[in-house]
């Protein structure tokens, strides 16, 4: 019945809510300067690139997806030039300050995206990961970072680096938001978490750590045991497994490396295969531009880019064979609900402006670990484990290609037990 208070306009009063609220409403985010945003130049980390390219005429689908879900974009972030570094240093735009360790590199190439999340400037951010550019800065800045299964999230509107490895990834401070972003970008249905039926611990990979391995493994093991029991944990030597199951790696074996303590020869070979194909695809994407513009490039990056320009197609077919063999080998190892736990990187972030020669040992170990998901195309999440000696500690979990939802749900379920174990570890300083 109409009343005086509504001016007699209504037959009946009721409220109909929209069928669902926008899932990311109220959240803020930033995007790496590798994503197209309509009306803005995609700078690709280098002023010569920005100077020679016009404004984007459309916005990358990954960015549109989070905008349409209600999130607010607050800007673009600094990145390493042409995405060709895992350090996070940029001589043109400055190096974003690592909130966890201001005298250390933030990690790259998605440096600004990781720093913006770690410094609580945004709730989440988008980056890209080709050789490690989400996983490394997440580890160095003490936050969560997710590299999805290769080819699952659209890279349209993202400046390519090397298409065989390029992925759109994202950062968050907690796994709940990480999972929400993942469900949106991966278009996943809501599903109950599934318990892993095996958790593979490659002891040889944890021996690469420069900090006591117990500081990583014990926090992880105790959290996993609390949730799933100890019987699901299996120990292996991943280097031997890969050596036996990926025969094409023999073309990339370097006998001179086998006696060095920090090496796992089969994973060093895997890294060599990945970086060769990466150089070749980078050259095909950007070689003409580099040769014609001769851009001003920072130290380390300049050498890598010009090495890529000189790359030929020798062994490229073998690189693709290695990818297929590793994908099959790790699929057999993990099956549907298996998890592989590895260090994300071999140690804490290096100091700012460390000479490239001094970083070589770190890079060899880092790319040995990073190439596992990179070459197989599997999904990987970086999980922060607090601080050791006032520097951030992290671990990674991998699941088979297409198991992104399973992995994201698992990480969310680990959140509380991990917090408890991190608190214990930090109080005991182990």
């Amino acid at each position: 019945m109409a009343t005086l208070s509504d001016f007699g306009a209504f037959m009946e009063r009721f409220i109909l809510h929209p069928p669902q609220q926008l899932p990311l409403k109220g959240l803020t985010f930033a995007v790496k300067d590798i994503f197209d945003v309509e009306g803005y130049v995609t700078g690709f980390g280098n002023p010569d690139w920005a100077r020679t390219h016009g404004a984007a005429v459309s916005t990358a689908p990954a960015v549109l997806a989070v905008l349409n879900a209600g999130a607010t974009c607050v800007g673009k972030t600094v990145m390493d030039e042409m995405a060709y570094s895992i350090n996070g240093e940029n001589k043109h735009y400055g190096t974003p300050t690592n909130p966890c360790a201001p005298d250390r590199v933030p990690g790259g190439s998605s440096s600004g995206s990781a720093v913006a999340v770690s410094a609580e400037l945004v709730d989440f951010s988008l980056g890209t990961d080709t050789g490690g550019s989400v996983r490394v800065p997440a580890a160095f800045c003490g936050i969560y970072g997710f590299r999805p299964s290769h080819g699952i999230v659209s890279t349209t509107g993202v400046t390519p680096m090397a298409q065989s490895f390029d992925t759109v990834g994202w950062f968050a401070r907690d796994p709940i938001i990480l999972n929400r972003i993942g469900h949106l970008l991966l278009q996943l249905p809501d599903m109950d978490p599934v318990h892993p039926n095996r958790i593979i611990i490659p002891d040889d990979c944890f021996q690469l750590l420069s900090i006591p391995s117990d500081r990583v493994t014990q926090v992880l093991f105790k959290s996993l045991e609390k949730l799933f029991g100890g019987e699901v944990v299996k120990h292996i030597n991943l280097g031997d497994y890969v050596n036996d199951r990926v025969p094409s790696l023999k073309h990339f074996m370097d006998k001179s490396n086998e006696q060095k303590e920090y090496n796992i020869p089969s994973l060093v070979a895997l890294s060599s295969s990945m970086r060769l194909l990466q150089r070749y695809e980078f050259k095909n994407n950007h070689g003409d531009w580099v040769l014609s513009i001769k851009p001003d490039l920072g130290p380390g990056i300049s050498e890598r880019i010009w090495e890529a320009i000189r790359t030929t197609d020798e062994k490229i077919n073998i690189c693709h064979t290695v990818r297929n063999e590793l994908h099959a080998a790790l699929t057999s190892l993990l099956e549907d609900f298996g998890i592989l736990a590895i260090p994300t990187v071999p140690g804490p972030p290096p100091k700012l402006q460390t000479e490239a020669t001094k970083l070589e040992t770190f890079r060899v170990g880092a790319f040995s670990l990073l190439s596992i998901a990179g070459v197989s195309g599997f999904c990987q999440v970086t999980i922060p484990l607090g601080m050791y000696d006032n520097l951030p500690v992290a671990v990674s979990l991998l699941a088979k290609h297409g198991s992104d939802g399973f992995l994201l749900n698992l990480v969310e379920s680990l959140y509380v037990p991990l917090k408890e174990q991190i608190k214990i570890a930090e109080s005991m300083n182990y």
Side-chain angles (χ1 to χ4, degrees), residues 33 88 196 203:
D33 195 19
D203 295 321

Side-chain angles (χ1 to χ4, degrees), residues 100-401:
C100 286
D103 65 333
R104 305 285 174 137
V105 297
S109 62
S110 307
S111 53
S113 291
V115 166
V117 170
S118 182
E120 301 186 20
L121 305 178
V122 292
D123 296 304
F124 70 95
S125 63
L126 299 184
T128 59
D129 189 310
T130 302
S133 291
V134 164
R135 293 165 287 167
V136 173
F140 285 179
C141 291
I143 57 174
Y144 288 82
F146 195 83
R147 174 197 165 95
S149 298
H150 184 259
I152 298 285
V153 179
S154 172
T155 55
T156 301
V158 180
T159 306
M161 202 280 180
Q163 286 90 332
S164 290
F165 311 107
D166 288 347
T167 61
V168 169
W170 54 97
F171 301 94
R173 286 184 299 279
D174 69 70
I176 299 162
I177 290 179
L178 192 83
N179 200 354
R180 283 167 67 186
I181 308 306
H183 272 71
L184 181 84
L185 289 175
L186 297 159
Q187 300 177 12
L188 297 172
D190 287 332
M191 52 188 176
D192 292 330
V194 177
H195 283 199
N197 56 20
R198 64 184 69 181
I199 296 164
I200 308 293
I201 308 295
D203 295 321
D204 54 335
C205 290
F206 283 96
Q207 288 169 12
L208 292 173
L209 283 169
S210 62
I211 66 170
S213 60
D214 279 358
R215 174 58 182 82
V216 178
T217 57
Q218 289 305 306
V219 170
L220 181 64
F221 290 174
K222 289 176 180 177
S223 302
L224 291 168
E225 275 186 38
K226 187 166 186 178
L227 278 182
F228 310 119
E231 63 277 3
V232 298
V233 175
K234 315 289 182 189
H235 293 264
I236 67 162
N237 184 300
L238 187 64
D240 289 349
Y241 181 86
V242 169
N243 188 64
D244 294 342
R245 300 295 186 99
V246 188
S248 296
L249 278 178
K250 65 177 182 283
H251 298 282
F252 298 96
M253 288 290 190
D254 182 353
K255 296 293 182 184
S256 67
N257 280 330
E258 290 188 4
Q259 302 308 315
K260 296 181 182 176
E261 276 184 26
Y262 55 82
N263 277 345
I264 300 172
S266 62
L267 297 188
V268 174
L270 188 67
S271 165
S272 297
S273 169
M274 179 182 78
R275 287 182 292 143
L276 173 59
L277 183 53
Q278 184 179 2
R279 288 194 296 270
Y280 181 72
E281 293 184 348
F282 181 92
K283 172 190 175 180
N284 289 342
N285 289 324
H286 306 303
D288 289 345
W289 180 84
V290 172
L291 288 168
S292 63
I293 300 298
K294 295 182 174 55
D296 180 17
L297 298 164
I301 291 175
S302 177
E303 289 82 353
R304 281 192 288 280
I305 285 176
W306 284 104
E307 183 184 9
I309 300 305
R310 296 188 293 270
T311 301
T312 70
D313 63 0
E314 184 183 358
K315 292 189 179 179
I316 294 303
N317 286 339
I318 302 172
C319 292
H320 288 292
T321 303
V322 167
R323 290 178 72 209
N324 293 333
E325 290 175 355
L326 183 70
H327 187 281
L330 293 185
T331 300
S332 175
L333 178 67
L334 298 183
E335 297 183 346
D336 283 341
F337 299 113
I339 290 292
L340 178 67
I342 60 171
T344 309
V345 284
K351 289 186 175 179
L352 290 163
Q353 298 177 329
T354 301
E355 288 179 26
T357 52
K358 292 182 179 178
L359 287 174
E360 189 53 31
T361 299
F362 185 89
R363 286 176 59 81
V364 169
F367 282 112
S368 295
L369 296 165
L370 295 165
S371 63
I372 299 167
V375 177
S376 66
F378 281 25
C379 49
Q380 178 174 342
V381 62
T382 295
I383 301 173
L385 296 182
M387 306 286 277
Y388 177 82
D389 275 354
N390 295 315
L391 293 170
V393 180
V395 73
S396 275
L397 301 180
L398 286 75
K400 79 168 192 174
H401 189 276

